[in-house]
Amino acid sequence: FYRETYNYEQIVRDASQTISSTLDLKSLLQYVCEVTSATLRTDVVACFTRNLGHDTFNVAAKKDLGGGQDALENASLSPGDPLPSSLIRPRRPLHKEDLDRHPTDPAATAAVRHLSRLGGELALPILSEAQLTGFLVVGAKLSGDAFFAEDVDLLSTLASQAAIAIKNAQLYQQVVLANDYIQNILTTMDSGVIA
C-alpha cells in the first residue's frame, strides 16, 4: 500500500535513448544493471550473456548493493542447466513464486533452486531471433517488497530493448574487428594493392 512508485514511461524513455545509442557491450549491460538496481532498489542485478566460443553463459555485468554475491563471481552456466533451459522454453520471466504455482513440476523446481543459488528472486530472458542470448538475474528488493506486475513489465521491456542493443553491439564489434584485420593486412603488405 505504501510502496514507492516510479515513473514507468519516463524510465523506459530514458533507458531507450541510452540503450539505443550505446555500442559498447560492457557499458550497455552495466547500464541495464544500474537502471534496474536504481529503479527497483534490489540487492543485486546480474546480466549473463552467452559466450559463443565456449557455449556458456557468464556474468557480463552486475550491480551489487547487498554485500556481495559469491555465487555470481565465477558463475558459468551451460544452456542445458536448469535456469537457462527454463527461460528458453516458455520465454517468460521466472520468479521464485513459480515454485508455489507448480510444486510438482521438477523442471520448475530445479530452475527456482538454481535461481536461489545465484541469489536471485527473478530471472528474465534476453532473446534474439528466438534464441537465448542472455538473461537478467534480479535479487530481492532492499525494502523486502514483492515484485509487482508493473515491475516485471518494466524489466521485460528493458530486457527486450537490451536484446536488440546486444545484437547491434555484437555486429558493431564484428565490423570493427574486420576493419582492423583488413587494415593490418594492408599495412603489412610489401607490394601495392589495386582496388
Side-chain angles (χ1 to χ4, degrees):
F1 185 73
Y2 293 106
R3 69 188 173 100
E4 293 182 33
T5 59
Y6 50 83
N7 187 336
Y8 180 97
E9 291 83 11
Q10 184 67 41
I11 291 167
V12 169
R13 199 169 27 254
D14 292 345
S16 294
Q17 290 175 347
T18 303
I19 287 172
S20 65
S21 64
T22 306
L23 290 174
D24 177 52
L25 187 58
K26 183 85 173 154
S27 301
L28 167 74
L29 297 175
Q30 192 62 46
Y31 175 76
V32 170
C33 289
E34 288 174 7
V35 165
T36 301
S37 178
T39 303
L40 299 178
R41 293 176 179 82
T42 58
D43 60 355
V44 67
V45 179
C47 188
F48 286 76
T49 56
R50 190 175 211 144
N51 181 348
L52 297 177
H54 302 288
D55 200 28
T56 58
F57 292 96
N58 298 313
V59 176
K62 74 174 187 170
K63 179 75 174 174
D64 188 352
L65 299 176
Q69 290 289 336
D70 294 335
L72 290 173
E73 286 306 315
N74 297 314
S76 181
L77 311 175
S78 74
D81 284 341
L83 182 58
S85 62
S86 71
L87 293 170
I88 294 169
R89 277 180 259 133
R91 298 178 190 205
R92 63 177 181 79
L94 174 74
H95 196 281
K96 272 184 153 179
E97 292 176 358
D98 288 349
L99 186 60
D100 297 334
R101 288 185 221 133
H102 309 290
T104 58
D105 183 4
T109 302
V112 169
R113 284 188 184 142
H114 198 185
L115 178 62
S116 294
R117 280 195 307 271
L118 293 172
E121 291 282 320
L122 184 66
L124 297 106
I126 298 175
L127 299 162
S128 176
E129 298 173 3
Q131 291 202 355
L132 187 69
T133 58
F135 54 92
L136 209 58
V137 172
V138 182
K141 290 184 179 180
L142 294 173
S143 65
D145 290 342
F147 285 97
F148 300 98
E150 182 182 55
D151 301 333
V152 176
D153 286 346
L154 174 66
L155 291 172
S156 296
T157 302
L158 288 175
S160 296
Q161 291 179 344
I164 296 165
I166 288 169
K167 184 75 170 172
N168 289 342
Q170 289 171 337
L171 291 172
Y172 175 75
Q173 187 64 31
Q174 288 175 355
V175 169
V176 168
L177 288 173
N179 284 340
D180 288 346
Y181 178 72
I182 291 168
Q183 190 65 33
N184 188 26
I185 289 173
L186 292 174
T187 57
T188 58
M189 290 181 78
D190 292 336
S191 56
V193 175
I194 298 173

